[in-house]
Amino acid sequence: MQMLDGLNGAQKAAAGHLEGPMMVVAGAGSGKTRVLTHRIAHLIDQGVDPFSILSLTFTNKAAREMKDRIGRIVGGAEARNIWMGTFHSVFARILRIESERINYPSNFTIYDTQDSRSVIKDVIKGLGLDDKLYKPNSIHGRISGAKNNLIGAADYARNPDIIGEDQQAGRPRIAEIYAGYDARLQRSGAMDFDDLLFKTNVLLRDFPDLLHKYQQKFAFILVDEYQDTNFAQYMIIRQLGAARENVCVVGDDAQSIYSFRGANIQNILNFQRDYPDCVVYKLEQNYRSTKNIVEAANTVIAKNQDQIQKDVWTGNDDGEKIDVHRALSDNDEGSFVADAILTTRSRAQAESKEFAILYRTNAQSRAFEEQLRKRNVPYRIYGGLSFYQRKEIKDLIAYFRLVANPTDDEGFKRVVNYPARGIGKTTMDRMTVAAAQHECALWDVLRDPMRKPNDLKGAAWGKLQDFGTMIEGFATQLNTASAFDIGHHIAQHTGLLRELHKDKTPEGVARYENVEELLAGMKEFSEQEDPANPDAVRTLADFLIDVALLTDADQDDGDDNKVSLMTIHAAKGLEFPYVYIVGLEENLFPSQMALNTREELEEERRLFYVALTRAERKATLSYALTRYRWGQLMQNEPSRFIEEVDEQYLNLPVVDARRSEPFDFNSARSSFYKPMPSAKKSGTPPRPGMRKVSDAGASSAAQVETQGTGDRAGQIEAGVEVKHARFGKGKVLKLEGDPPNVKATVFFPSAGQKQLLLKFAKLEIL
């Protein structure tokens, strides 16, 4: 049992479990990664072949850290042999091995979100549809949701419920777009991110021999962050684990916050139903946070009904109470947080990287950025433009993709005339038409004289041929040269480096330096040993796979001494000594879009729980009395989540930074609320015992005079059916605010839920 040394009792019991299904319910900061790594090390120590262990994570960074830890315990050679990585990276590897079964090349391209939306935009245009109604981003989300639920294009078109939803939303031709999009991907030898899971399910479903092969190969399956799995991931695990049921899942239902990405909390809640013989282990000791933070978080999450019961506790010191700050405005809130960081940094001799500001939406960062800049406090924003999304980087990588897979239409279109080589829009339009007529890739048109467009002049055709010859020349090195050698050669001989070097502006110099940074990364990548094949050259195709599967967390260097600004979703899995949770106002956090059902509200509460449990030593909550939203100055009330924290853990009498006067949060709270007589006609789950003062009167927010069009305009109230000039018929869900700034939340079947200022909306009562 040497492999289990250093673990506490609960951790040791979980890590020492050998065969059969098991679930580890791991509270925040309870050391779940230690359990996973020590369990894998223990399996290997007990004679399990590392090649037969499949360990799935949600970031490549987490996989690397686990491999490093396991390597230190059992040796690097053994650790390298484990099938460990993200769902997408592991199954992309399997798809490349088995791709011919589903008529894909082994060097298929993986399209990112931007590529996918570009293809969808082209399909919409080709069908003659209005891209303002069929918005590419929205259609991509619809298709992504279908794929995550294992609904292919043909099944989508045959499903009357789905088609009915699309018709009701006024977009009846989404099924055609989905089919056209899938056909374009297949033609380009490309998969989108969702396909990596969807196509894996197709392989396991349609080829029983492959299912049997991988069931026998993976004797032990371990899944981290199981609460974040979607239906496609769930089905892969169910199928691969069906033969032996040596399935170990680790997660925390209280941290399930990704339903908008398709994650289904029921996967972890129902694990015992799926595996009646499973053994459940609970890791309940929090090693991260102070007692005040742990117990405050417990009082909030206890309000949720859908959860696995556990008693998270800590042996750490009590620590400071959680400060609650009431700001006059969002700018005042930014000023308070920036001053507080400066004060704490000085008083506690802390570094900037020990602080994090967490918010519900990216738009909230502005006020904090401004105030931190004024005070010369260094900061960085997570979730901004990633390095690999910069134009100059995408341009060079498009060349790499095209060399590896010439049928990649998106890569072709991006670089065929960059740097400029006299191939204009008219030429490419004719090429695109020819590709559509022959149902082939642009490259196939280029390299097949029989498909040459009749209206394409000789000079333009010659320039295209020169481009094709250049790409084919690069491809001769594809399987022999290292990723860096061929990458550097492409950057030079396409003229891309020369083009960037000509621009001597600060922005131009930065773009050139970014490309140099990419090539430096390729050099480092090329010099690393391939875990699967230590003697092999790491090729351009290997590099492209690595880049395509990077997550936001993987692109964080983690070394900069800067204050971190990020959404709470981006903060999951991270920890900081000092955390500021800002914008804690009703309709912002919890989000107004998540107040229609108990399930939605419970996910918002889990999001608050995640935010609070990121803090190690000190947590601060803040809200603003006024905030500009939708171009209007809004009056705000404190979030219900502040109320839900037991007051013994809160430091309510806070000093206002502007007035230097103490105030009592209870009195601030009473200015917004009074006892609730009923919760009738509310689309929002009621707040126990509380009600907005403005909702109490019969005439303030319950009924409002509007400038409605037509002679049927009049009194607007919750539950009334109305008509809008643009969105059509809808139903008023609720009203907020005081005249003249009353805001209505209206559901329109054709456009979804909208928030409208009544003084501008001109709603007509039906």
Side-chain angles (χ1 to χ4, degrees):
M1 298 295 283
Q2 182 182 355
M3 297 296 169
L4 306 182
D5 289 348
L7 303 181
N8 67 29
Q11 292 172 338
K12 187 174 291 187
H17 183 109
L18 285 177
E19 296 191 335
M22 61 178 289
M23 176 168 64
V24 181
V25 182
S30 62
K32 69 179 177 63
T33 305
R34 282 173 60 83
V35 168
L36 276 170
T37 54
H38 282 266
R39 179 166 192 261
I40 292 172
H42 183 57
L43 288 172
I44 294 171
D45 186 57
Q46 295 298 305
V48 174
D49 183 352
F51 282 102
S52 70
I53 298 173
L54 172 62
S55 180
L56 299 167
T57 64
F58 272 80
T59 67
N60 294 299
K61 181 180 177 183
R64 284 194 299 269
E65 289 175 353
M66 285 178 61
K67 265 194 179 177
D68 288 344
R69 290 195 197 185
I70 294 167
R72 289 195 292 270
I73 301 172
V74 301
E78 296 282 49
R80 279 196 298 268
N81 296 333
I82 302 164
W83 278 66
M84 179 179 286
T86 65
F87 275 88
H88 294 89
S89 65
V90 167
F91 296 115
R93 183 176 166 187
I94 289 175
L95 284 168
R96 290 197 186 275
I97 296 170
E98 313 292 353
S99 59
E100 64 178 28
R101 297 286 192 108
I102 51 174
N103 300 316
Y104 264 87
S106 62
N107 61 341
F108 63 81
T109 300
I110 300 172
Y111 279 178
D112 64 16
T113 298
Q114 189 175 331
D115 296 322
S116 295
R117 290 176 179 172
S118 176
V119 175
I120 289 170
K121 187 174 183 179
D122 281 351
V123 173
I124 291 169
K125 182 180 178 182
L127 290 171
L129 300 175
D130 181 0
D131 63 5
K132 292 183 174 58
L133 176 61
Y134 291 90
K135 295 179 180 178
N137 292 13
S138 176
I139 302 302
H140 180 237
R142 186 76 169 160
I143 293 172
S144 176
K147 288 187 178 181
N148 284 331
N149 284 289
L150 303 184
I151 301 170
D155 291 332
Y156 189 103
R158 286 193 295 261
N159 189 309
D161 293 333
I162 292 176
I163 299 303
E165 289 173 5
D166 289 346
Q167 289 173 339
Q168 190 175 26
R171 300 181 299 181
R173 299 183 67 183
I174 293 179
E176 290 178 69
I177 299 172
Y178 188 176
Y181 171 65
D182 254 15
R184 283 281 300 274
L185 290 179
Q186 185 90 39
R187 203 166 75 195
S188 296
M191 294 188 195
D192 64 21
F193 216 57
D194 300 311
D195 280 329
L196 298 177
L197 302 180
F198 181 85
K199 302 290 188 187
T200 298
N201 273 288
V202 170
L203 279 176
L204 300 179
R205 181 196 68 197
D206 294 352
F207 301 95
D209 61 316
L210 288 184
L211 175 59
H212 179 73
K213 170 184 173 180
Y214 288 104
Q215 283 178 338
Q216 297 309 305
K217 180 175 183 58
F218 299 128
F220 290 87
I221 300 172
L222 300 92
V223 186
D224 192 14
E225 304 287 7
Y226 190 66
Q227 77 280 349
D228 292 335
T229 53
N230 61 28
F231 183 64
Q233 291 162 329
Y234 167 82
M235 285 303 297
I236 290 171
I237 299 306
R238 284 286 286 167
Q239 292 179 86
L240 291 179
R244 305 174 191 247
E245 292 201 341
N246 287 332
V247 177
C248 166
V249 301
V250 180
D252 181 7
D253 57 292
Q255 297 185 63
S256 177
I257 59 173
Y258 290 118
S259 66
F260 68 96
R261 291 183 186 168
N264 187 351
I265 191 175
Q266 296 304 319
N267 291 350
I268 192 168
L269 295 179
N270 294 334
F271 187 79
Q272 290 171 271
R273 184 198 65 189
D274 291 339
Y275 299 90
D277 297 331
C278 90
V279 180
V280 178
Y281 299 92
K282 294 183 181 181
L283 307 183
E284 298 173 307
Q285 183 175 0
N286 179 301
Y287 290 94
R288 175 188 301 153
S289 307
T290 64
K291 191 171 293 184
N292 267 312
I293 292 171
V294 169
E295 294 183 359
N298 286 346
T299 63
V300 174
I301 204 63
K303 308 292 191 300
N304 275 8
Q305 293 182 25
D306 290 339
Q307 62 176 302
I308 299 169
Q309 293 302 319
K310 52 190 169 294
D311 181 22
V312 179
W313 61 279
T314 184
N316 295 339
D317 294 339
D318 287 350
E320 296 182 56
K321 287 189 175 183
I322 298 168
D323 284 345
V324 178
H325 179 78
R326 180 184 70 174
L328 301 178
S329 66
D330 47 354
N331 287 329
D332 181 49
E333 183 182 40
S335 180
F336 159 73
V337 171
D339 285 340
I341 288 173
L342 277 175
T343 301
T344 304
R345 199 174 63 175
S346 174
R347 186 191 71 228
Q349 296 296 296
E351 295 185 273
S352 294
K353 66 182 179 183
E354 296 180 51
F355 296 84
I357 302 172
L358 308 183
Y359 35 74
R360 182 64 180 82
T361 66
N362 278 309
Q364 293 170 251
S365 71
R366 179 199 55 80
F368 304 99
E369 291 185 71
E370 288 180 1
Q371 298 300 331
L372 291 170
R373 277 200 301 268
K374 285 180 181 177
R375 293 159 177 78
N376 293 317
V377 176
Y379 68 89
R380 61 176 170 182
I381 296 180
Y382 285 68
L385 184 65
S386 116
F387 177 79
Y388 289 97
Q389 291 297 320
R390 299 181 189 278
K391 179 188 180 302
E392 61 275 14
I393 301 302
K394 288 207 66 145
D395 288 340
L396 185 51
I397 287 180
Y399 270 113
F400 297 165
R401 283 172 23 185
L402 194 60
V403 171
N405 172 22
T407 60
D408 177 359
D409 277 0
E410 291 304 300
F412 189 108
K413 288 187 293 183
R414 188 175 187 100
V415 298
V416 68
N417 196 43
Y418 179 77
R421 47 180 63 93
I423 301 173
K425 181 178 183 299
T426 302
T427 297
M428 284 308 299
D429 285 346
R430 289 167 178 164
M431 288 286 290
T432 301
V433 169
Q437 288 173 343
H438 294 286
E439 296 185 348
C440 66
L442 291 167
W443 182 264
D444 297 326
V445 174
L446 178 68
R447 280 329 204 195
D448 184 353
M450 300 300 293
R451 294 171 176 170
K452 175 182 176 290
N454 294 327
D455 52 357
L456 201 57
K457 294 179 181 178
W461 184 248
K463 291 171 184 176
L464 281 167
Q465 292 303 308
D466 290 344
F467 174 74
T469 300
M470 178 182 69
I471 297 299
E472 286 178 333
F474 295 146
T476 61
Q477 307 174 50
L478 197 56
N479 298 319
T480 55
S482 72
F484 170 74
D485 288 340
I486 189 173
H488 189 263
H489 182 74
I490 291 170
Q492 281 189 317
H493 288 81
T494 55
L496 190 144
L497 277 178
R498 184 170 57 252
E499 182 77 11
L500 291 172
H501 195 259
K502 287 191 300 189
D503 187 349
K504 300 301 182 183
T505 66
E507 295 79 11
V509 171
R511 284 190 286 270
Y512 184 83
E513 290 174 346
N514 284 339
V515 169
E516 284 190 320
E517 178 65 24
L518 175 66
L519 293 171
M522 294 181 75
K523 179 74 170 173
E524 182 180 348
F525 175 86
S526 298
E527 292 173 350
Q528 292 172 350
E529 186 180 275
D530 184 346
N533 192 353
D535 299 323
V537 174
R538 304 203 79 185
T539 66
L540 184 64
D542 297 326
F543 177 75
L544 287 172
I545 297 170
D546 200 62
V547 168
L549 297 171
L550 286 174
T551 65
D552 290 343
D554 299 321
Q555 295 166 33
D556 164 34
D557 59 294
D559 296 327
D560 292 344
N561 187 19
K562 298 176 181 178
V563 175
S564 296
L565 277 67
M566 67 186 83
T567 65
I568 301 164
H569 284 100
K572 188 168 175 294
L574 303 177
E575 55 189 39
F576 303 89
Y578 306 96
V579 170
Y580 295 83
I581 307 171
V582 300
L584 275 163
E585 299 138 28
E586 281 294 297
N587 299 321
L588 180 56
F589 191 19
S591 166
Q592 184 171 14
M593 302 300 291
L595 296 177
N596 298 309
T597 66
R598 178 177 59 80
E599 290 78 13
E600 290 174 345
L601 178 59
E602 290 199 354
E603 176 148 333
E604 288 289 292
R605 188 176 287 116
R606 292 194 294 270
L607 193 58
F608 178 70
Y609 176 84
V610 166
L612 196 51
T613 54
R614 297 313 92 199
E616 297 172 351
R617 296 180 217 160
K618 175 72 176 176
T620 301
L621 314 179
S622 69
Y623 67 97
L625 296 176
T626 60
R627 181 181 301 274
Y628 274 97
R629 300 183 73 190
W630 308 288
Q632 295 289 317
L633 186 64
M634 310 298 293
Q635 301 291 325
N636 304 317
E637 55 188 79
S639 167
R640 67 186 71 198
F641 297 147
I642 300 178
E643 297 176 46
E644 291 177 356
V645 178
D646 193 309
E647 289 190 9
Q648 65 177 306
Y649 306 116
L650 297 178
N651 198 6
L652 292 175
V654 192
V655 175
D656 186 293
R658 291 294 174 92
R659 296 178 302 177
S660 297
E661 296 175 0
F663 69 85
D664 188 338
F665 183 72
N666 284 319
S667 64
R669 178 186 288 164
S670 66
S671 71
F672 282 105
Y673 306 113
K674 73 178 192 178
M676 179 189 288
S678 71
K680 291 182 180 178
K681 293 186 179 178
S682 173
T684 303
R687 308 174 60 170
M690 298 292 183
R691 179 169 178 167
K692 287 170 57 179
V693 170
S694 60
D695 284 349
S699 62
S700 81
Q703 293 187 333
V704 181
E705 289 289 341
T706 73
Q707 304 171 8
T709 56
D711 55 13
R712 299 186 67 188
Q715 304 295 316
I716 301 287
E717 61 180 352
V720 165
E721 291 188 350
V722 294
K723 184 177 181 180
H724 185 274
R726 178 180 172 190
F727 303 128
K729 295 179 181 179
K731 185 174 183 178
V732 178
L733 299 180
K734 62 177 177 178
L735 299 167
E736 299 172 279
D738 299 311
N741 293 317
V742 175
K743 182 176 63 183
T745 299
V746 186
F747 176 76
F748 297 97
S750 64
Q753 191 164 296
K754 301 289 182 182
Q755 294 168 336
L756 306 169
L757 279 169
L758 292 185
K759 65 183 179 182
F760 300 128
K762 298 185 178 180
L763 295 175
E764 177 184 351
I765 292 181
L766 298 178

